[in-house]
Amino acid sequence: MKSGLQLFCFAVVGTVLLAATASAQSNYGSRGGWGWQEPSITDIRERSTESFKLLDEDENGSITLEEIDLASLSEEETEELSNEELRARRQRSSLASSMFLRWTDEMDAFEISDTNGDGFMTREEFENRRAVIRTHMLKEGISIYDTDQNGSVELTEFNANLRDLEDIDTDGSGTLSRAELAKVDDSELIRSVRVSQYRGWESRRWSSGSRSTQRDRDSRSSR
């Protein structure tokens, strides 16, 4: 039997992820950072391509489920990774969730978790349910992009919904205003735009943080 609470929680996963990226940018701006900026069409496409390259870990030109369905690391595995490697892994996991996690009304959390299909939840199935459901949701996301149905997502498929951005830019400014984006009813396009916005904000944040760290080091060394 479907759980109304489960369906509600999973149905809003994508919305929450997108809202979080948008609010993170706005909140940072309220603390004296950059705030919300009208994204340029060029930047949106460039950031989207950068996102694809980050998710395409083996650099073979396509994104597979194995590359985005990152299992939780054990304490020992975490200790073996450098801070840079851990940060890159977290970025990839967060980006994969933002772009590919999907929940539909046809999905049933119990049926997905009941991997042997016997109608009962074993202890092992119960303990693995979160990972199993996440994998199922990522598969759904891949299928949305995977128009040639070859089981992976190529760059042209990943960026396909960004082809008509000029049509949204009704004033021809080369950027997309809040008013222009508000008229778009394509949730997949909005998802891509918002994630690209966040990637740009994140890049500027890390760049600023790196410069601040370097200035602190220079200041300490000069004392």
Side-chain angles (χ1 to χ4, degrees):
M1 179 181 296
K2 293 184 178 180
S3 162
L5 179 59
Q6 283 178 315
L7 286 178
F8 175 77
C9 290
F10 285 114
V12 299
V13 166
T15 303
V16 170
L17 287 167
L18 294 176
T21 57
S23 65
Q25 191 177 30
S26 296
N27 290 341
Y28 192 82
S30 67
R31 297 195 300 270
W34 296 282
W36 195 91
Q37 298 178 349
E38 290 189 1
S40 77
I41 291 175
T42 299
D43 284 347
I44 290 171
R45 289 186 172 132
E46 288 179 352
R47 296 296 182 188
S48 182
T49 297
E50 290 172 5
S51 295
F52 177 89
K53 292 178 179 178
L54 180 60
L55 294 173
D56 180 22
E57 187 178 23
D58 60 10
E59 301 180 356
N60 71 341
S62 64
I63 298 171
T64 62
L65 179 65
E66 289 72 20
E67 288 175 309
I68 63 174
D69 192 12
L70 303 179
S72 299
L73 295 175
S74 66
E75 186 175 342
E76 292 75 15
E77 291 172 324
T78 301
E79 291 176 351
E80 292 177 357
L81 298 178
S82 67
N83 290 337
E84 185 65 26
E85 289 172 328
L86 281 173
R87 184 168 73 87
R89 184 183 176 87
R90 292 191 186 104
Q91 280 185 321
R92 289 181 56 238
S93 180
S94 175
L95 180 57
S97 296
S98 298
M99 293 301 299
F100 290 102
L101 273 185
R102 299 293 190 283
W103 183 265
T104 68
D105 290 339
E106 290 73 31
M107 293 181 186
D108 186 302
F110 181 88
E111 290 181 359
I112 295 170
S113 303
D114 179 24
T115 53
N116 64 8
D118 65 356
F120 297 93
M121 183 76 68
T122 65
R123 178 182 292 275
E124 182 179 1
E125 288 171 336
F126 181 79
E127 292 175 348
N128 294 332
R129 69 193 187 286
R130 292 181 183 276
V132 171
I133 291 173
R134 173 181 167 81
T135 298
H136 191 90
M137 294 171 69
L138 289 172
K139 284 182 180 178
E140 178 68 20
I142 284 181
S143 69
I144 291 173
Y145 287 92
D146 183 21
T147 54
D148 62 8
Q149 299 182 349
N150 69 347
S152 61
V153 178
E154 284 69 46
L155 179 59
T156 53
E157 294 173 321
F158 191 79
N159 286 342
N161 56 4
L162 300 179
R163 283 180 297 208
D164 300 324
L165 292 181
E166 283 79 8
D167 294 337
I168 302 172
D169 179 26
T170 54
D171 63 5
S173 65
T175 62
L176 302 182
S177 67
R178 289 179 185 270
E180 289 169 333
L181 288 173
K183 297 176 182 178
V184 178
D185 57 7
D186 184 340
S187 60
E188 293 301 325
L189 189 152
I190 291 297
R191 177 185 292 261
S192 295
V193 170
R194 293 303 188 192
V195 172
S196 293
Q197 276 185 287
Y198 179 74
R199 292 283 296 157
W201 166 80
E202 186 181 50
S203 176
R204 292 191 294 272
R205 185 190 66 172
W206 280 109
S207 176
S208 177
S210 297
R211 289 196 297 269
S212 297
T213 300
Q214 186 60 48
R215 284 196 298 270
D216 291 341
R217 290 173 179 169
D218 293 342
S219 177
R220 286 194 297 270
S221 64
S222 64
R223 292 175 184 172

